[in-house]
Amino acid sequence: MPPMWYQLIKILVLLFALFTTGTNPTTVPEQQDQAQRTRQPPENLMHHMKTTTPPVIKRDIPQCVEDQANHKSKSFCTQVENYPDLSLIKGKLSQNFSNFFSDPEPVPVDISSRLGPNDEVFLCRSRRRYLYPKSGLKSDNTWQFIVNNDEFKQGILIEECENEEMPCDYSLSFPQRYKPICKQHYVLRMLASIRNTSGELDVGQESFKIPSCCKCVLKVL
Protein backbone atom coordinates (compact mmCIF):
# COMPACT_ATOMS: atom_id res chain seq x y z
CA MET A 1 0.00 0.00 0.00
CA PRO A 2 2.65 2.64 0.79
CA PRO A 3 4.16 2.55 -2.72
CA MET A 4 0.71 3.27 -4.14
CA TRP A 5 0.35 6.36 -1.94
CA TYR A 6 3.75 7.53 -3.11
CA GLN A 7 2.69 7.21 -6.72
CA LEU A 8 -0.51 9.18 -6.08
CA ILE A 9 1.41 11.96 -4.36
CA LYS A 10 3.83 12.23 -7.27
CA ILE A 11 0.91 12.43 -9.74
CA LEU A 12 -0.77 15.16 -7.70
CA VAL A 13 2.49 17.18 -7.54
CA LEU A 14 2.92 16.95 -11.32
CA LEU A 15 -0.70 17.99 -11.93
CA PHE A 16 -0.29 20.97 -9.58
CA ALA A 17 2.90 22.06 -11.36
CA LEU A 18 1.26 21.84 -14.78
CA PHE A 19 -1.79 23.75 -13.55
CA THR A 20 0.21 26.62 -12.04
CA THR A 21 2.47 27.12 -15.13
CA GLY A 22 -0.48 26.96 -17.55
CA THR A 23 -2.39 29.77 -15.79
CA ASN A 24 0.51 32.27 -16.12
CA PRO A 25 0.95 32.99 -19.89
CA THR A 26 3.21 36.02 -19.43
CA THR A 27 6.78 34.89 -19.83
CA VAL A 28 9.85 36.66 -18.50
CA PRO A 29 10.82 38.30 -21.85
CA GLU A 30 7.26 39.57 -22.27
CA GLN A 31 7.31 41.08 -18.77
CA GLN A 32 10.59 42.87 -19.56
CA ASP A 33 9.16 44.21 -22.85
CA GLN A 34 6.08 45.54 -21.05
CA ALA A 35 8.25 47.24 -18.44
CA GLN A 36 10.36 48.88 -21.16
CA ARG A 37 7.26 50.20 -22.95
CA THR A 38 5.97 51.76 -19.74
CA ARG A 39 9.28 53.63 -19.26
CA GLN A 40 9.27 55.13 -22.79
CA PRO A 41 7.20 58.30 -23.53
CA PRO A 42 4.36 58.05 -26.04
CA GLU A 43 5.34 58.27 -29.71
CA ASN A 44 3.30 61.44 -30.33
CA LEU A 45 5.03 63.15 -27.37
CA MET A 46 8.48 62.29 -28.77
CA HIS A 47 7.47 63.67 -32.19
CA HIS A 48 6.26 66.91 -30.54
CA MET A 49 9.55 67.25 -28.67
CA LYS A 50 11.54 66.90 -31.93
CA THR A 51 9.45 69.35 -33.95
CA THR A 52 9.33 72.09 -31.30
CA THR A 53 13.10 72.31 -30.81
CA PRO A 54 14.15 75.79 -32.05
CA PRO A 55 16.84 75.98 -34.75
CA VAL A 56 20.34 76.93 -33.68
CA ILE A 57 21.46 80.25 -35.19
CA LYS A 58 25.12 81.15 -34.93
CA ARG A 59 25.55 84.78 -33.93
CA ASP A 60 28.67 85.39 -36.02
CA ILE A 61 27.24 84.01 -39.30
CA PRO A 62 24.65 86.19 -41.12
CA GLN A 63 21.30 84.47 -41.66
CA CYS A 64 19.82 86.03 -44.80
CA VAL A 65 15.99 85.96 -45.04
CA GLU A 66 15.65 87.20 -48.64
CA ASP A 67 14.85 85.03 -51.64
CA GLN A 68 15.12 85.25 -55.40
CA ALA A 69 11.55 86.54 -55.67
CA ASN A 70 12.66 89.66 -53.78
CA HIS A 71 15.59 90.18 -56.18
CA LYS A 72 18.18 88.89 -53.75
CA SER A 73 21.74 89.70 -54.67
CA LYS A 74 24.19 86.81 -54.92
CA SER A 75 26.82 88.68 -52.92
CA PHE A 76 24.81 90.94 -50.57
CA CYS A 77 21.81 90.70 -48.25
CA THR A 78 19.67 93.61 -47.01
CA GLN A 79 17.56 91.60 -44.53
CA VAL A 80 19.39 89.59 -41.88
CA GLU A 81 17.57 87.62 -39.19
CA ASN A 82 20.33 87.72 -36.55
CA TYR A 83 21.65 91.25 -37.21
CA PRO A 84 23.43 92.55 -34.06
CA ASP A 85 22.57 95.66 -32.04
CA LEU A 86 25.01 98.44 -32.97
CA SER A 87 24.35 100.62 -29.91
CA LEU A 88 27.43 99.26 -28.10
CA ILE A 89 29.79 100.38 -30.89
CA LYS A 90 28.00 103.64 -31.75
CA GLY A 91 30.78 105.80 -30.30
CA LYS A 92 33.50 104.03 -32.26
CA LEU A 93 31.50 104.26 -35.48
CA SER A 94 31.03 108.01 -35.05
CA GLN A 95 34.66 108.74 -34.17
CA ASN A 96 36.69 106.38 -36.36
CA PHE A 97 34.47 105.40 -39.30
CA SER A 98 32.46 108.52 -40.14
CA ASN A 99 34.03 108.71 -43.63
CA PHE A 100 32.26 105.43 -44.57
CA PHE A 101 28.80 106.96 -44.14
CA SER A 102 29.01 110.14 -46.26
CA ASP A 103 28.43 108.96 -49.85
CA PRO A 104 25.20 110.32 -51.39
CA GLU A 105 22.80 107.92 -53.05
CA PRO A 106 22.95 108.07 -56.87
CA VAL A 107 19.90 107.72 -59.07
CA PRO A 108 19.72 104.19 -60.62
CA VAL A 109 19.62 104.06 -64.41
CA ASP A 110 17.98 101.30 -66.45
CA ILE A 111 20.73 99.80 -68.61
CA SER A 112 19.04 96.56 -69.62
CA SER A 113 19.40 97.54 -73.28
CA ARG A 114 22.09 100.23 -73.25
CA LEU A 115 23.06 102.00 -76.44
CA GLY A 116 26.24 104.04 -76.75
CA PRO A 117 26.62 107.24 -78.71
CA ASN A 118 27.62 105.25 -81.80
CA ASP A 119 24.79 102.70 -81.42
CA GLU A 120 27.02 100.32 -79.49
CA VAL A 121 25.04 97.35 -78.21
CA PHE A 122 25.91 95.49 -75.01
CA LEU A 123 25.65 91.73 -75.50
CA CYS A 124 24.57 90.87 -71.95
CA ARG A 125 21.58 92.30 -70.13
CA SER A 126 22.17 93.59 -66.61
CA ARG A 127 20.32 95.27 -63.76
CA ARG A 128 21.64 98.16 -61.70
CA ARG A 129 20.52 98.75 -58.11
CA TYR A 130 21.50 100.79 -55.07
CA LEU A 131 21.55 98.73 -51.86
CA TYR A 132 22.14 99.19 -48.14
CA PRO A 133 23.42 95.70 -47.35
CA LYS A 134 23.60 94.26 -43.84
CA SER A 135 25.81 91.35 -44.87
CA GLY A 136 28.05 90.66 -47.84
CA LEU A 137 30.53 88.35 -49.49
CA LYS A 138 34.13 89.27 -48.76
CA SER A 139 37.09 88.85 -51.06
CA ASP A 140 37.83 85.45 -49.45
CA ASN A 141 34.26 84.25 -50.28
CA THR A 142 33.08 84.30 -46.64
CA TRP A 143 30.03 86.21 -45.40
CA GLN A 144 30.26 88.98 -42.81
CA PHE A 145 27.99 91.60 -41.23
CA ILE A 146 28.10 95.14 -42.70
CA VAL A 147 27.32 98.30 -40.73
CA ASN A 148 23.94 99.58 -41.93
CA ASN A 149 21.05 101.02 -39.89
CA ASP A 150 19.00 104.20 -39.76
CA GLU A 151 21.90 106.22 -38.31
CA PHE A 152 24.92 104.67 -40.08
CA LYS A 153 24.24 103.98 -43.76
CA GLN A 154 26.57 102.54 -46.37
CA GLY A 155 25.13 102.48 -49.86
CA ILE A 156 26.61 100.52 -52.75
CA LEU A 157 25.76 100.63 -56.45
CA ILE A 158 25.77 97.18 -58.01
CA GLU A 159 25.21 95.91 -61.55
CA GLU A 160 24.31 92.23 -61.89
CA CYS A 161 23.73 89.93 -64.84
CA GLU A 162 20.11 89.12 -65.54
CA ASN A 163 21.05 85.83 -67.20
CA GLU A 164 24.45 84.80 -65.93
CA GLU A 165 26.06 81.79 -67.63
CA MET A 166 23.51 82.06 -70.45
CA PRO A 167 24.37 82.76 -74.14
CA CYS A 168 25.08 86.36 -75.05
CA ASP A 169 22.85 88.23 -77.47
CA TYR A 170 23.66 87.58 -81.13
CA SER A 171 25.46 84.39 -80.14
CA LEU A 172 24.68 82.83 -83.53
CA SER A 173 26.86 85.48 -85.19
CA PHE A 174 30.00 84.12 -83.56
CA PRO A 175 32.18 81.41 -85.11
CA GLN A 176 31.06 77.88 -84.29
CA ARG A 177 34.20 77.04 -82.32
CA TYR A 178 33.33 79.73 -79.76
CA LYS A 179 30.54 79.77 -77.18
CA PRO A 180 29.71 83.32 -75.96
CA ILE A 181 28.23 83.41 -72.43
CA CYS A 182 27.40 86.19 -69.96
CA LYS A 183 29.74 86.42 -66.97
CA GLN A 184 29.45 88.49 -63.79
CA HIS A 185 32.38 90.79 -63.10
CA TYR A 186 33.32 92.06 -59.61
CA VAL A 187 35.39 94.84 -58.10
CA LEU A 188 36.57 95.15 -54.49
CA ARG A 189 35.47 97.91 -52.11
CA MET A 190 36.25 98.57 -48.46
CA LEU A 191 33.22 98.73 -46.14
CA ALA A 192 32.82 99.14 -42.39
CA SER A 193 31.99 95.68 -41.08
CA ILE A 194 31.03 94.11 -37.75
CA ARG A 195 33.28 91.63 -36.01
CA ASN A 196 32.45 89.29 -33.16
CA THR A 197 35.67 88.96 -31.19
CA SER A 198 35.47 86.66 -28.15
CA GLY A 199 31.73 87.27 -27.89
CA GLU A 200 32.06 91.07 -28.03
CA LEU A 201 31.09 93.27 -30.96
CA ASP A 202 33.76 95.28 -32.70
CA VAL A 203 34.00 97.24 -35.93
CA GLY A 204 36.63 97.13 -38.65
CA GLN A 205 37.00 97.49 -42.41
CA GLU A 206 36.91 94.61 -44.85
CA SER A 207 37.13 94.20 -48.62
CA PHE A 208 33.84 93.09 -50.21
CA LYS A 209 33.04 91.86 -53.73
CA ILE A 210 30.90 94.42 -55.59
CA PRO A 211 29.09 93.23 -58.76
CA SER A 212 30.17 95.91 -61.27
CA CYS A 213 29.11 94.75 -64.75
CA CYS A 214 28.04 91.82 -66.90
CA LYS A 215 30.54 90.79 -69.57
CA CYS A 216 30.23 88.61 -72.62
CA VAL A 217 33.12 86.13 -72.68
CA LEU A 218 34.04 83.52 -75.26
CA LYS A 219 34.65 79.89 -74.41
CA VAL A 220 36.59 77.79 -76.89
CA LEU A 221 34.78 74.57 -77.69
Side-chain angles (χ1 to χ4, degrees):
M1 294 295 295
M4 183 181 297
W5 284 105
Y6 292 151
Q7 294 295 331
L8 289 175
I9 291 174
K10 289 182 179 179
I11 293 173
L12 290 175
V13 171
L14 291 175
L15 291 175
F16 179 77
L18 292 174
F19 176 77
T20 54
T21 55
T23 57
N24 187 15
T26 304
T27 60
V28 173
E30 291 176 346
Q31 292 176 352
Q32 293 177 351
D33 183 61
Q34 290 179 359
Q36 185 176 5
R37 287 199 299 267
T38 56
R39 289 195 298 267
Q40 294 179 350
E43 184 177 355
N44 58 351
L45 179 60
M46 294 179 65
H47 177 72
H48 178 72
M49 292 170 62
K50 293 180 181 179
T51 56
T52 55
T53 303
V56 178
I57 297 178
K58 296 183 179 180
R59 296 179 57 186
D60 56 342
I61 300 179
Q63 305 292 325
C64 186
V65 295
E66 295 173 317
D67 53 28
Q68 293 296 339
N70 295 325
H71 304 293
K72 174 186 173 183
S73 171
K74 295 181 179 180
S75 54
F76 289 98
C77 185
T78 58
Q79 299 180 29
V80 179
E81 183 176 359
N82 57 335
Y83 194 76
D85 183 9
L86 303 184
S87 60
L88 297 177
I89 56 176
K90 181 178 178 180
K92 191 171 184 179
L93 288 172
S94 301
Q95 296 176 6
N96 303 334
F97 294 87
S98 59
N99 59 314
F100 284 88
F101 315 114
S102 58
D103 293 337
E105 178 178 349
V107 179
V109 179
D110 184 11
I111 55 174
S112 58
S113 57
R114 295 183 296 184
L115 294 177
N118 298 323
D119 293 337
E120 296 176 351
V121 179
F122 288 80
L123 301 181
C124 292
R125 297 179 179 272
S126 60
R127 183 169 183 264
R128 181 180 289 185
R129 291 183 290 161
Y130 198 80
L131 304 178
Y132 293 96
K134 291 190 174 182
S135 67
L137 195 64
K138 297 193 302 180
S139 57
D140 61 356
N141 291 324
T142 60
W143 287 81
Q144 188 164 332
F145 292 110
I146 299 174
V147 176
N148 253 320
N149 60 11
D150 293 337
E151 186 174 359
F152 303 100
K153 291 186 176 182
Q154 294 183 99
I156 59 171
L157 184 63
I158 68 172
E159 182 179 336
E160 293 181 310
C161 295
E162 290 188 356
N163 300 301
E164 188 179 6
E165 300 296 336
M166 298 297 292
C168 306
D169 292 344
Y170 310 105
S171 59
L172 297 179
S173 302
F174 288 84
Q176 294 184 357
R177 62 186 301 262
Y178 294 103
K179 181 181 180 181
I181 61 172
C182 295
K183 200 79 172 178
Q184 182 67 55
H185 181 70
Y186 296 87
V187 295
L188 299 179
R189 176 179 168 181
M190 300 298 293
L191 296 173
S193 62
I194 305 169
R195 301 171 181 173
N196 190 347
T197 306
S198 302
E200 297 183 359
L201 290 182
D202 195 8
V203 60
Q205 57 181 9
E206 295 287 349
S207 179
F208 289 85
K209 298 172 64 175
I210 309 293
S212 61
C213 66
C214 190
K215 294 183 177 182
C216 181
V217 299
L218 298 179
K219 286 188 174 181
V220 180
L221 300 178

